[in-house]
């Protein structure tokens, strides 16, 4: 799974390494370098490259996907890993530019980013939920 994002011929549903604060920090850093220019800091497809292409009305420009699109959110972590490593449609492959562990760190960060944008009150610990409900 660590090498390909797959278990046999099926994309993996779980990360093949532990999610630690260090992994998340690395994922955030790598996301900022490799993904933010097109996908934007919050992952909505509104990065500086995307905005500039839109301003220039580039005829062949394909806007980057929002990482919050339900289809993207439904993808397994293995499929996200495969996309980072091998690219998809007009998104370039990054396998030559980063080690596999960095690709997995990006996937872990993307999952956290997705969750942060789609959290509900039920995701907040009960002890802290009462304080939020009071406001």
């Amino acid at each position: 799974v660590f090498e390909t994002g797959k278990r046999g011929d099926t994309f993996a549903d779980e990360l093949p390494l532990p999610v630690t604060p260090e992994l998340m920090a690395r994922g955030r850093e790598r996301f900022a370098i490799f993904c933010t220019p097109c996908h934007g800091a919050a992952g909505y497809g509104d990065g500086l490259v995307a905005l500039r292409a839109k301003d220039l009305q580039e005829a062949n420009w394909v806007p980057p996907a929002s990482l919050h699109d339900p289809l993207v959110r439904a993808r397994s972590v293995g499929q996200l890993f495969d996309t980072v490593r091998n690219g998809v449609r007009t998104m370039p492959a990054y396998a030559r530019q980063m080690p596999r562990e960095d690709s997995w760190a990006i996937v872990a960060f993307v999952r956290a980013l997705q969750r942060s944008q789609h959290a509900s009150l039920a995701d907040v610990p009960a002890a802290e939920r009462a304080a939020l409900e009071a406001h």
Side-chain angles (χ1 to χ4, degrees), residues 23-24 27-28 31-32 41 104-114:
L23 182 77
M24 295 304 293
R28 182 179 186 183
F31 182 88
W104 283 115
I106 287 172
V107 170
F109 181 76
V110 165
R111 280 296 195 233
L113 187 63
Q114 290 169 330

Side-chain angles (χ1 to χ4, degrees), residues 35-84:
C35 311
T36 296
C38 291
H39 291 285
Y44 285 99
D46 58 354
L48 292 177
V49 171
L51 294 176
R52 179 69 175 150
K54 183 179 175 183
D55 286 347
L56 294 174
Q57 298 180 12
E58 292 290 330
N60 296 326
W61 176 252
V62 177
S66 168
L67 302 176
H68 305 290
D69 180 285
L71 291 173
V72 177
R73 289 178 58 217
R75 292 183 182 139
S76 67
V77 295
Q79 190 172 2
L80 295 176
F81 174 82
D82 184 76
T83 299
V84 171

Side-chain angles (χ1 to χ4, degrees), residues 6-17:
K6 293 181 177 182
R7 181 167 277 104
D9 291 333
T10 305
F11 285 117
D13 289 324
E14 68 284 331
L15 291 164
L17 43 116

